[in-house]
Structures are given as structure tokens and as C-alpha cells.
Amino acid sequence: PTIFQLIPTPLGLAAHGINDQTGLYKFICNGPLVRQIAPDQTITDFDFSVEGSRAAAVDMVGNLFVSTDIGSIVEIEAGSGTRTDFASGFTQPTGMDFRPARFGGDTDKVGFLYVADTASGTISQISLDGVVTPFVTGAGMPNYMVFQTVSSTPLPVDRQIDELWLR
């Protein structure tokens, strides 16, 4: 609850666990800023007052990716906070998630970023080196997306794959 008192109208949320399991880094997008809350509750704000922030996703090594109101994806390097342009050409990128490893070790496209573009009705796939390709077209107005990974809990064979959930 304290997090939402600090940012009453979040547009995008993401979290990333620390390797030693001491807690989660939390990221909240709110237009002009992205707030990072460390496990020790230290707050770091990233200024997005020029381009606006919409959605956030964190890759496997802890780098933060933020979609912007101007149709680009910005990468913020874990630790240093260095910002770089990662991809562009979107209309209204509102939801993002990274593709995790599949059950059984299938590593095809693991680590690729997927972006839901509400205005264009597309979901794009972005490779590790920033190459954007269409993944789904004519998706209506996708807003948010998340991959569900298979846990260690046994599931029926037909459910032992990644699932992509869209809203």
C-alpha cells in the first residue's frame, strides 16, 4: 500500500528478484517518472518527463525496459542506470514482457521482449539485439501481456508450455 501512496496512478508495473533471494526490486511507471524500489526500500527515480513512461519489463539479468509515449523502448542498465534506446517505431506500446524458458528446456527465443501496441493492434517480438518483427497482427487493442511459466508443480502434458496472456 505504501508504494501506491507514493504513486497513486501507476501505468505499468514490473518486479525482479535478486539472485540471493533477499527480495524484489519493484518498478512503477507513472508518465513522467519510473520509480525503482529496492528490497531495502531505497527509492530511485528515473526521469521520463520528456518521453513519458507507459510499461516496464525486466530481463533475466535485471536490466529495466520502459515503453514510452513517443513509441520507443528504453533500456536502463542494472547497477549503472545507463539509458540507451533499444527499439522504436511503435504507436502506443502499453504492455511488455520477456519470454522465459519453456518447460523441458526449449530455448527458442528465450529472452526476446514482446510488446503490445494498443493503437496498431499488434504484438511485436524484439530480439536480444533490438530487431523488431511482427508476432501477432489484428489483435484488437492489446493493453497488457504476461508470460506464464510452468512451475515445478506437475501439470497435464498439454499445459507444459509457455502461455501468453493478453488483456
Side-chain angles (χ1 to χ4, degrees):
T2 304
I3 293 170
F4 296 106
Q5 290 170 0
L6 298 172
I7 298 182
T9 55
L11 298 172
L13 303 169
H16 180 71
I18 301 174
N19 290 340
D20 65 5
Q21 303 300 313
T22 59
L24 291 174
Y25 279 90
K26 298 169 233 26
F27 302 92
I28 305 169
C29 298
N30 182 28
L33 69 87
V34 174
R35 177 158 284 170
Q36 171 187 283
I37 303 170
D40 66 1
Q41 302 305 305
T42 301
I43 294 174
T44 303
D45 287 337
F46 299 104
D47 181 13
F48 276 80
S49 57
V50 173
E51 62 271 73
S53 66
R54 287 232 158 240
V58 183
D59 70 8
M60 294 180 282
V61 296
N63 297 324
L64 175 66
F65 292 76
V66 177
S67 66
T68 69
D69 291 340
I70 61 171
S72 64
I73 309 295
V74 174
E75 178 181 2
I76 301 175
E77 186 178 316
S80 72
T82 302
R83 289 172 59 142
T84 56
D85 293 330
F86 182 67
S88 61
F90 301 96
T91 308
Q92 190 176 9
T94 55
M96 302 187 303
D97 199 13
F98 281 93
R99 185 185 182 283
R102 283 188 163 187
F103 183 86
D106 180 359
T107 58
D108 186 41
K109 297 184 178 40
V110 167
F112 279 33
L113 179 63
Y114 290 79
V115 178
D117 192 330
T118 302
S120 68
T122 62
I123 297 170
S124 296
Q125 169 182 279
I126 307 174
S127 67
L128 302 175
D129 57 356
V131 176
V132 180
T133 55
F135 181 68
V136 174
T137 58
M141 296 175 58
N143 282 305
Y144 308 101
M145 60 186 297
V146 64
F147 280 97
Q148 175 182 323
T149 58
V150 176
S151 70
S152 59
T153 305
L155 295 173
V157 172
D158 64 337
R159 296 289 309 266
Q160 294 180 352
I161 59 171
D162 290 338
E163 294 181 34
L164 176 62
W165 293 85
L166 301 172
R167 177 177 187 269

